[in-house]
Amino acid sequence: MSAAAEFGRGLRALRTSAGLTQAALGRLLGYHHSLISKVEAGTRRPPPDLAGRCARLLGDHSLLPLWSALEDERRAGPGDVVAALTGVAAYERFNDGFGGVPLIPALEGQLRTVTAWLAADADPALPGLAAGLAFRCGWARVENGQHRAGTTWLTRSVGWARAAHDRTTAGTALTYLGVVALVEGRPGPAGRLAARARAEAPGDTTVDFLASLLESRAHAANDADTSCRRALDRAERLSTDLRALPPRHGLMLLDAGKAACFRDLAVRRGAPALARRAVEHAREALRRTPVDSRPSRALFTVRLADAYACAAEPESAVAAAEPTVDAPWGGDLVRRELAGLKRRLVARWGRVREVRRFADLIP
């Protein structure tokens, strides 16, 4: 058990033996109850004076040696970078299965520790570790709808990745910043970030692939059909040589990107044939998505439903989208897609019984 977890257990035992709630202890110590809760859960490092203040307030000094152990662990931290990197891999696996939102406290707690290490130690592995954690923190914040905080972490990820000479992570983080711009309705900056990503990692096929998908979405948002298809063709050529992504994952992203592009073009051009192509690619993206990758499946399912709506098949759209409405791992991106689907369905088929019922489910 980590020193932070031991301290949290000690604090909880001390509080309960004194007959205090988290809120009551927080008021006595001058802290918000949420901080007490996070310290007890081991997801936040306690303030330096917490153990001493508890000792003076409650006459119990049991937290002082636990604080000393926590400090010893922090000072010894850079020597255990391998263990921390193993933790990053575990975060990645959890994120693939459930989304990053539940991990935000643990991720940011780890990142605060690593940034403290960076300030005190010159271990060459630390910038790369910080870049990976910041990337995951940033995207988790975006998934939670907190774009400003997410953008801050993704930008810092770029800087730390540069310090670690990790061009792949730096370029990838820039493409994800471009995705945020797209979600916010800013295709121009999204396209420029795609170009920056390529310049950041020249010759990196994975970054070039992600940048091409980002460009295709930006062109589709501007109704630039020829440029959109050219970018998709480039992404398809690159999809056969992705060193940092499993082949199936690359093809999944390619089909998901095609589905989004053809859907957006169909909306702008009123072209059912393009919408039907979007349906085909959304189905293929879902087929390629592992069943335990729940956030991706939720997003691609709503994208399929939206493609059905654009193809003038409202009943199929409702049937596809309904299972995602209460999915706990959808995140802000799925909520946004659901809201857009609702607007599209109500605008054209608001009198259809299934559409009215579905619309009532979406806030």
Side-chain angles (χ1 to χ4, degrees):
M1 180 180 295
S2 70
E6 289 281 7
F7 189 97
R9 288 182 61 180
L11 178 61
R12 184 182 295 109
L14 183 63
R15 175 180 60 78
T16 55
S17 67
L20 296 171
T21 64
Q22 291 176 341
L25 179 61
R27 283 195 298 271
L28 290 170
L29 294 175
Y31 296 118
H32 194 270
H33 68 84
S34 64
L35 182 140
I36 302 298
S37 173
K38 291 173 182 176
V39 171
E40 289 188 358
T43 59
R44 175 161 181 173
R45 183 178 175 81
D49 61 347
L50 181 59
R53 293 174 75 172
C54 283
R56 291 190 295 273
L57 176 68
L58 303 174
D60 187 318
H61 294 73
S62 60
L63 290 181
L64 295 176
L66 296 177
W67 169 254
S68 296
L70 193 59
E71 280 290 271
D72 290 343
E73 183 179 82
R74 180 185 65 81
R75 285 189 287 269
D80 196 22
V81 172
V82 173
L85 286 167
T86 303
V88 173
Y91 290 141
E92 188 71 20
R93 289 193 297 272
F94 186 95
N95 182 74
D96 286 346
F98 299 97
V101 173
L103 291 173
I104 290 174
L107 281 167
E108 294 190 343
Q110 279 272 55
L111 192 48
R112 281 192 293 270
T113 300
V114 172
T115 53
W117 293 351
L118 276 166
D121 195 275
D123 190 315
L126 288 174
L129 176 58
L133 284 168
F135 178 85
R136 288 159 183 83
C137 280
W139 192 244
R141 285 292 185 186
V142 172
E143 288 180 316
N144 203 35
Q146 297 164 311
H147 290 190
R148 180 176 294 181
T151 296
T152 297
W153 282 128
L154 288 169
T155 302
R156 296 187 73 180
S157 174
V158 174
W160 280 321
R162 286 172 178 162
H165 306 292
D166 181 356
R167 296 301 183 184
T168 297
T169 297
T172 300
L174 285 167
T175 66
Y176 275 64
L177 284 166
V179 173
V180 177
L182 270 181
V183 171
E184 294 176 345
R186 299 184 291 117
R192 290 191 289 274
L193 282 160
R196 282 182 57 195
R198 283 202 189 93
E200 189 72 42
D204 188 305
T205 55
T206 299
V207 172
D208 196 355
F209 169 76
L210 295 173
S212 297
L213 288 179
L214 178 59
E215 280 181 338
S216 69
R217 294 289 310 278
H219 290 313
N222 286 323
D223 196 20
D225 185 290
T226 301
S227 297
C228 173
R229 291 171 188 265
R230 188 180 299 122
L232 286 174
D233 288 344
R234 181 181 181 88
E236 187 155 16
R237 290 194 300 272
L238 291 164
S239 67
T240 62
D241 187 27
L242 300 178
R243 296 182 179 87
L245 291 173
R248 184 183 180 93
H249 190 73
L251 292 172
M252 174 193 77
L253 292 177
L254 178 63
D255 276 308
K258 288 181 176 180
C261 286
F262 289 128
R263 177 201 61 187
D264 292 348
L265 290 169
V267 170
R268 283 156 180 78
R269 298 187 169 212
L274 288 173
R276 285 191 288 273
R277 290 196 65 182
V279 168
E280 293 170 6
H281 287 294
R283 284 174 175 165
E284 192 63 16
L286 273 171
R287 187 185 69 81
R288 297 184 189 278
T289 306
V291 294
D292 56 353
S293 293
R294 297 168 185 84
S296 295
R297 290 193 67 84
L299 180 62
F300 299 159
T301 298
V302 181
R303 196 163 289 172
L304 171 62
D306 208 11
Y308 276 130
C310 295
E313 298 182 39
E315 292 86 357
S316 297
V318 169
E322 273 189 322
T324 69
V325 172
D326 295 320
W329 39 72
D332 182 67
L333 298 179
V334 171
R335 288 192 292 271
R336 284 172 178 264
E337 294 257 351
L338 281 170
L341 173 62
K342 173 183 175 178
R343 288 193 297 271
R344 201 181 319 284
L345 288 171
V346 170
R348 293 187 62 184
W349 299 285
R351 295 184 179 181
V352 176
R353 181 171 58 85
E354 290 84 352
V355 170
R356 291 200 307 271
R357 179 173 51 79
F358 174 73
D360 289 340
L361 301 175
I362 310 297

